[in-house]
């Protein structure tokens, strides 16, 4: 009985890493769909979010069942409670990638991204991909040094987010209100995606060290 | 020892209800600050979010300490894990109210809301207030009928959110890109505030019934 139980605890990690793979792929394809107005790619991101949701719902059920039947304590309890939080953040990251794909679909056959913002969105997509890759490694390896790197990448994302607004509000903006709305929302989705990645990494730090370094402060 | 433990479990509920009061007040003042370009009110929302964060951090620490020292099982474990989720959603609702106040502050002494959208924002603010009031009652009374009402209120919020976009994208829009960005973000904040309120109520349902009705689906 205890063996099956420990197998189950280990499988939580595998399933979380699997979620990071899916939400990385979703964000990568979502960004390409947005930049290239690729409807088929956008549709694939939108339909495949169901797979992220399915893993999330299964993981959540396993965790509640495990808590009820096995009554984990000490480090095991910390592991399952933290897995629940991480799964919730990863599920949300899947939604955000899907939201980006929906902007691409809504504007197809046009691109929602004007030429002068293309590089910024490319960079935001690259940072998002980098963040979730590190998050996955961080969950798998429990390397807490990676968690620090994630916070720096998140700062880079915030700088790009502010750059978007500077372009939207410059006198040279010639693409009107609809494009500005799309870019405002897309920028928000990338920024939130990065925030959730950082939260997951902070949860790994908590799991390893047993202390929280991520007190919530005004953001 | 067990008595202090059960007192502590009960105090979790009190502190969650206290968080609902604070984030209701924050959203109510945030909406007024936004509509009336009231800088002082906006500043009060922004500075007082620290109080929500403080309660959240304390609550989280108490919960982790309680899990480590008392090793709760069965219904007690469900109570603490659910409290952790609810506190996280409520903390986020405080942030969203603060974001709305920050829009008001950024545009002061102008109002970020043009006359033709005033009624819609008033309604969104009223629904937000209604939602968090019911969420607080739901936590305190464990009345799961209230949770169903919250989902209807959330639908009303989504309808208002779509109305905002219709106005922004109409040919009559004469307020330019900056105002459109403000309203796009404010609309998103109200919508997310409502989503988090619904999640908290769904957690109460889980606490009472022991089964989850809120499987995550594509949103």
């Amino acid at each position: 009985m205890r063996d099956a139980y420990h197998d189950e605890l280990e499988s939580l990690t595998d399933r979380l890493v699997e979620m990071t793979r899916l939400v990385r792929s979703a964000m990568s394809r979502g960004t390409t769909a947005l930049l290239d107005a690729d409807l088929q790619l956008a549709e694939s991101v939108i339909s495949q979010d169901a797979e992220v949701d399915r893993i999330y719902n299964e993981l959540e059920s396993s965790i509640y069942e495990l808590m009820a039947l096995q009554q984990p304590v000490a480090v095991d309890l910390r592991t399952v409670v933290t897995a629940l939080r991480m799964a919730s953040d990863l599920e949300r990251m899947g939604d955000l990638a899907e939201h980006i794909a929906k902007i691409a679909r809504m504007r197809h056959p046009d691109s929602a991204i004007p030429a002068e913002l293309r590089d910024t969105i490319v960079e935001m997509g690259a940072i998002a991909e980098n963040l979730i890759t590190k998050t996955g490694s961080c969950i798998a390896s429990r390397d807490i040094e990676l968690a620090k790197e994630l916070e720096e990448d998140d700062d880079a994302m915030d700088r790009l987010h502010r750059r978007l607004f500077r372009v939207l509000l410059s006198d040279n903006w010639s693409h009107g209100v609809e494009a500005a709305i799309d870019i405002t929302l897309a920028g928000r989705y990338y920024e939130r995606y990065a925030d959730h990645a950082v939260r997951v990494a902070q949860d790994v730090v908590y799991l390893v060290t047993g202390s929280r370094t991520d007190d919530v402060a005004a953001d």
Side-chain angles (χ1 to χ4, degrees), chain A:
Chain A
M1 190 66 183
R2 292 298 286 181
D3 275 357
Y5 165 58
H6 282 98
D7 285 351
E8 185 127 18
L9 281 179
E10 264 176 42
S11 101
L12 296 182
T13 301
D14 296 341
R15 287 188 276 172
L16 289 169
V17 172
E18 174 64 12
M19 284 183 85
T20 67
R21 280 198 207 102
L22 291 173
V23 306
R24 179 179 60 219
S25 163
M27 191 48 128
S28 161
R29 286 175 295 138
T31 300
T32 305
L34 187 67
L35 290 165
D36 299 348
D38 185 329
L39 181 62
Q40 218 175 343
L41 203 57
E43 292 286 9
S44 82
V45 175
I46 294 162
S47 65
Q48 287 169 30
D49 188 54
E51 177 65 8
V52 178
D53 294 340
R54 192 188 60 73
I55 298 179
Y56 172 70
N57 288 325
E58 273 185 20
L59 195 51
E60 197 187 28
S61 298
S62 313
I63 289 171
Y64 279 110
E65 203 175 281
L66 207 145
M67 286 197 291
L69 299 179
Q70 305 285 356
Q71 312 194 331
V73 295
V75 69
D76 291 349
L77 180 54
R78 203 160 76 201
T79 304
V80 296
V81 171
T82 309
L84 196 60
R85 285 167 64 111
M86 294 196 281
S88 174
D89 281 304
L90 291 167
E91 186 277 325
R92 187 75 204 139
M93 291 171 80
D95 288 344
L96 293 164
E98 186 190 2
H99 289 342
I100 285 174
K102 281 184 173 170
I103 295 176
R105 179 171 75 178
M106 195 157 53
R107 294 304 159 229
H108 175 84
D110 295 327
S111 167
I113 308 299
E116 68 259 45
L117 278 174
R118 212 182 147 81
D119 287 353
T120 308
I121 296 291
V122 167
E123 272 189 75
M124 290 177 97
I127 291 177
E129 215 171 318
N130 198 10
L131 274 162
I132 186 65
T133 304
K134 285 181 189 168
T135 301
S137 304
C138 194
I139 295 171
S141 68
R142 303 207 170 175
D143 174 357
I144 62 173
E145 290 303 309
L146 273 174
K148 288 179 201 156
E149 287 183 32
L150 262 94
E151 295 190 23
E152 285 164 30
D153 294 334
D154 184 40
D155 291 341
M157 184 69 99
D158 291 341
R159 280 193 296 276
L160 289 166
H161 191 212
R162 285 193 293 274
R163 191 202 290 170
L164 280 187
F165 286 117
R166 276 199 303 278
V167 175
L168 292 179
L169 294 172
S170 75
D171 291 338
N172 303 326
W173 182 254
S174 60
H175 307 282
V177 168
E178 187 175 86
I181 293 173
D182 287 346
I183 288 156
T184 299
L185 289 174
R188 177 89 189 144
Y189 301 148
Y190 282 106
E191 188 220 356
R192 292 298 299 154
Y193 187 95
D195 289 342
H196 285 285
V198 170
R199 274 171 54 125
V200 173
Q202 286 170 336
D203 274 337
V204 175
V205 174
Y206 167 68
L207 204 52
V208 173
T209 65
S211 69
R212 304 203 71 86
T213 53
D214 57 333
D215 269 12
V216 157
D219 80 338

